Amino acid sequence: MQQPTVALPESATWRIQTDRAMWVAGVRALMLQALHPVAVQGVWQRSDFREDPTGRLLRTVDFVGTTTYGSPQEAEELGARVRSVHRRLGFTDPATGRRHRVDEPDLLLWVHCAEVVSYLEVVARAGARVGRADADRYFAEQTRTAAYVGLDPAEVPDSVERMRAYLAGVRPRLAAGPEAREIVRFLLWPKVPERMRALAPLKPMWVPIGLLSYYTLPDWARRMYRVLPEPPGTQALATAALSAVRTGLNATPDALYDRIFEEATVERARRARVRLAEHGYRVDGGLAGLRDPRSWPPGAAGGRGRAGTTVEV
């Protein structure tokens, strides 16, 4: 019988990527990715994030959801569409005049690593039960996800040690150029697209997401940006606020929370619950409830992270 979801509920991927602190983690990933002087040009020149930031974010959410709780077939189909789009996109690096493709392996690798590092570090800092062994498992599991965008899993860091080595090697090439700074400022206070004008009064609710995304960046990344002030106690306050935001989001009823997403994403989650129930999982607590080992069928393999552990890469 085919595996019901790309990542099973007992995986490290499920523990991290179904956590609602992922909203902060996802925006933080965009800020971190923008520090690559070549990769940022691909976003700046070929992405519609400034015209439709909500659409861009929801497409990313759908990709993460599909490669977490989607069926293997759904993930393969989405990956094929993503690779097809990337093959057709190119951009010019204004610093060198060189023409690049969006799907060049070194650029894809940076985008992937910035994403998964952000997901892991933010969710762990927010209070999720994530230890060093979980972090190693997570990076190893995410090498398979990297294949959906066209990377060779063998070339993707599959442990904390290898991820640290990769980041140390790439850091000398990173810089906070004008486009990167503009992206950060935009993400702190994004434009409300025309099709969502009715939600404009709720825009202030974005403020804690934007601020926490910035203040959870690595120290070296914030030193590059210097977009916001860093008064004493900022990091302790950011950790406490992140935990509070996570608690609030995780306590939001699914019926209300699901209104954020596109219908296709909500339907994908519904189908996942059906498949998981057929495989013996208890789904009455929703997808987030499946992080609890008591909801797994007998014999499901998986461990629990250590409470209060902060994983930094």
Side-chain angles (χ1 to χ4, degrees):
M1 185 180 294
Q2 187 183 55
Q3 188 165 298
T5 50
V6 176
L8 292 174
E10 55 266 35
S11 67
T13 291
W14 192 283
R15 183 180 304 153
I16 292 163
Q17 294 188 176
T18 62
D19 195 289
R20 292 176 181 175
M22 283 284 287
W23 284 105
V24 175
V27 179
R28 191 254 215 184
L30 296 174
M31 293 181 176
L32 187 58
Q33 289 165 352
L35 287 171
H36 194 294
V38 179
V40 73
Q41 292 301 325
V43 175
W44 192 256
Q45 297 177 34
R46 300 311 308 254
S47 173
D48 64 350
F49 81 96
R50 283 168 293 177
E51 290 71 34
D52 187 14
T54 308
R56 165 68 189 273
L57 183 58
L58 290 178
R59 286 193 296 274
T60 301
V61 168
D62 188 61
F63 180 85
V64 172
T66 303
T67 56
T68 303
Y69 55 75
S71 70
Q73 181 180 351
E74 287 174 331
E76 290 289 351
E77 291 172 352
L78 178 57
R81 290 197 297 273
V82 169
R83 294 192 301 273
S84 176
V85 170
H86 285 176
R87 279 195 297 270
R88 299 194 297 268
L89 297 179
F91 63 94
T92 301
D93 180 1
T96 64
R98 178 185 167 189
R99 189 71 178 166
H100 290 269
R101 286 173 47 147
V102 168
D103 62 355
E104 291 177 10
D106 62 326
L107 301 183
L108 291 177
L109 183 60
W110 165 249
V111 169
H112 169 82
C113 291
E115 283 182 355
V116 297
V117 164
S118 292
Y119 299 165
L120 173 71
E121 290 186 337
V122 170
V123 171
R125 184 172 176 177
R129 303 166 67 91
V130 181
R132 171 61 184 266
D134 298 307
D136 284 332
R137 286 177 58 210
Y138 178 63
F139 288 142
E141 291 166 6
Q142 287 302 301
T143 64
R144 296 190 291 274
T145 301
Y148 292 122
V149 298
L151 284 165
D152 178 355
E155 301 298 321
V156 179
D158 62 355
S159 67
V160 171
E161 182 179 358
R162 291 188 177 95
M163 186 64 76
R164 285 174 176 164
Y166 168 77
L167 293 175
V170 78
R171 268 182 61 181
R173 290 181 276 156
L174 304 180
E179 293 88 355
R181 291 174 182 274
E182 184 60 29
I183 285 173
V184 166
R185 293 189 184 99
F186 180 86
L187 290 171
L188 288 169
W189 191 249
K191 181 179 74 173
V192 177
E194 200 61 42
R195 64 186 177 85
M196 300 185 73
R197 283 294 173 191
L199 298 179
L202 301 178
K203 187 176 177 180
M205 295 176 64
W206 180 263
V207 171
I209 301 294
L211 290 176
L212 287 171
S213 300
Y214 179 84
Y215 283 119
T216 57
L217 284 167
D219 292 344
W220 56 264
R222 298 195 315 279
R223 285 195 295 269
M224 287 183 179
Y225 275 125
R226 298 191 183 279
V227 168
L228 294 177
E230 298 260 357
T234 296
Q235 286 304 300
L237 180 60
T239 299
L242 180 61
S243 177
V245 167
R246 174 182 183 255
T247 299
L249 288 173
N250 282 341
T252 304
D254 286 352
L256 178 61
Y257 185 73
D258 286 348
R259 294 183 184 181
I260 301 171
F261 305 108
E262 300 285 355
E263 289 184 11
T265 304
V266 175
E267 174 59 20
R268 200 184 313 282
R270 186 196 67 79
R271 292 197 301 267
R273 288 194 296 271
V274 170
R275 293 192 305 273
L276 287 163
E278 291 172 346
H279 280 71
Y281 291 89
R282 289 175 49 193
V283 299
D284 48 301
L287 297 184
L290 286 161
R291 293 196 295 269
D292 187 340
R294 290 173 296 182
S295 68
W296 305 343
R304 301 189 69 174
R306 299 194 304 269
T309 300
T310 299
V311 178
E312 295 183 355
V313 181

